[in-house]
Amino acid sequence: MSISHFLKKGYRPFWAAFLLSLLVLGGALAICCSIVFSAQEQPVDTAPDLPVGVGKSCNLLLIGCREKNQSPQRVVLLRFSGLDQKAHIQDVDLTKTATVKLYTDTLLGQYNYGGPDQLLQAAQGVLGVTLDGWIRIDETGLCKIAQQFPLVEISLAQEVITGRYRFPSGLSVADAPRQADLFFSSETGGAMQLVAIQLEQVLQMEAEEAADLLFQCTDTSLSAYDLERNRSLFSSITQVTQDSG
């Protein structure tokens, strides 16, 4: 049978389908080969995975209210950084203005309007960081924490007189009630020293003990799961340092 016989009109649909099938199979084979060769050429990342928490951070607001039903007298940003293994603390200016859901006010006004959650949202814009939660502490709770480390040494550039105590310039030793009063005073230098000292001591505690102290002495948006998830980050912190606002 001659070739011309196969090319007659009755065989044209067969040859069209046959050639189309060859084109489809050839295209599929080419794509498969391209994928295989690309995978072989792709460099393999042999770098070890970073330990959990390293390279990450956790940012919290410490809200100090002498009584829980009162306005905050001190707010401190706590930044736990796995990159430099430091806890950075920064005094927050409550007179700064922010807008949350079309409501504009100072950070203090935002707290008075909507409580800790409202303050958290407002502070994120002012501080330029994403905040993961808040911790609110009153005078009673601060004294309970301070009693774990009853005497601390404070260095003041000048004399400070709070509502209850007098702190001389230079070095002085403060017990738990004095620590609390200084923290809630308008004096910033000594208060930030107290935050740094107590935070260093809490970070040295066993994780379960520190968590119990947190939940007993404060109210917070953090859960036990949040603390467990960040355990390796908190345990990696080797230093507390104060940042300027």
Side-chain angles (χ1 to χ4, degrees), residues 144-161:
K144 286 181 180 178
I145 294 177
Q147 286 168 359
Q148 307 296 313
F149 331 104
L151 296 176
V152 300
E153 194 173 70
I154 302 297
S155 177
L156 299 174
Q158 58 186 19
E159 181 183 66
V160 173
I161 299 177

Side-chain angles (χ1 to χ4, degrees), residues 36-56:
V36 170
F37 289 133
S38 297
Q40 289 176 345
E41 295 174 358
Q42 186 70 25
V44 178
D45 184 9
T46 57
D49 292 335
L50 290 174
V52 176
V54 176
K56 298 183 180 181

Side-chain angles (χ1 to χ4, degrees), residues 5-73:
H5 180 74
F6 282 103
L7 297 178
K8 288 181 180 180
K9 185 175 180 180
Y11 289 91
R12 285 177 183 172
F14 167 79
W15 283 109
F18 179 75
L19 292 174
L20 181 60
S21 299
L22 286 178
L23 288 173
V24 171
L25 289 172
L29 181 61
I31 293 173
C32 291
C33 291
S34 175
I35 293 173
V36 170
F37 289 133
S38 297
Q40 289 176 345
E41 295 174 358
Q42 186 70 25
V44 178
D45 184 9
T46 57
D49 292 335
L50 290 174
V52 176
V54 176
K56 298 183 180 181
S57 64
C58 181
N59 304 317
L60 306 172
L61 276 189
L62 176 63
I63 305 170
C65 305
R66 196 175 281 274
E67 299 290 341
K68 287 182 181 178
N69 60 352
Q70 295 179 352
S71 299
Q73 291 180 258

Side-chain angles (χ1 to χ4, degrees), residues 30-240:
I31 293 173
C32 291
C33 291
S34 175
I35 293 173
V36 170
F37 289 133
S38 297
Q40 289 176 345
E41 295 174 358
Q42 186 70 25
V44 178
D45 184 9
T46 57
D49 292 335
L50 290 174
V52 176
V54 176
K56 298 183 180 181
S57 64
C58 181
N59 304 317
L60 306 172
L61 276 189
L62 176 63
I63 305 170
C65 305
R66 196 175 281 274
E67 299 290 341
K68 287 182 181 178
N69 60 352
Q70 295 179 352
S71 299
Q73 291 180 258
R74 185 168 305 284
V75 173
V76 180
L77 170 63
L78 309 177
R79 293 192 304 110
F80 300 91
S81 172
L83 291 174
D84 60 9
Q85 297 183 319
K86 292 181 180 179
H88 299 260
I89 62 174
Q90 177 185 330
D91 190 59
V92 177
D93 184 356
L94 291 173
T95 66
K96 293 287 183 68
T97 301
T99 300
V100 177
K101 297 179 181 178
L102 303 180
Y103 178 73
T104 301
D105 205 337
T106 63
L107 293 182
L108 182 59
Q110 294 285 359
Y111 179 92
N112 292 334
Y113 181 79
D117 291 329
Q118 183 90 357
L119 174 61
L120 189 83
Q121 294 182 57
Q124 288 187 134
V126 171
L127 299 172
V129 298
T130 299
L131 294 167
D132 301 292
W134 53 265
I135 301 168
R136 181 170 58 183
I137 190 166
D138 62 9
E139 185 173 13
T140 301
L142 196 150
C143 281
K144 286 181 180 178
I145 294 177
Q147 286 168 359
Q148 307 296 313
F149 331 104
L151 296 176
V152 300
E153 194 173 70
I154 302 297
S155 177
L156 299 174
Q158 58 186 19
E159 181 183 66
V160 173
I161 299 177
T162 65
R164 303 172 188 170
Y165 303 103
R166 171 185 170 274
F167 296 84
S169 60
L171 293 176
S172 61
V173 176
D175 58 9
R178 285 174 171 77
Q179 290 179 51
D181 204 50
L182 186 60
F183 176 79
F184 289 110
S185 74
S186 59
E187 201 282 330
T188 300
M192 296 303 289
Q193 287 181 57
L194 287 172
V195 173
I197 292 169
Q198 291 199 359
L199 186 56
E200 284 177 343
Q201 292 171 323
V202 169
L203 287 169
Q204 292 172 11
M205 299 172 67
E206 293 293 332
E208 290 78 9
E209 186 181 3
D212 289 343
L213 191 64
L214 174 70
F215 293 126
Q216 289 173 11
C217 301
T218 74
D219 61 326
T220 177
S221 64
L222 300 176
S223 66
Y225 172 73
D226 294 324
L227 296 180
E228 181 62 28
R229 184 179 58 180
N230 289 287
R231 177 187 290 215
S232 60
L233 172 61
F234 296 143
S235 64
S236 73
I237 302 300
T238 59
Q239 184 181 351
V240 178

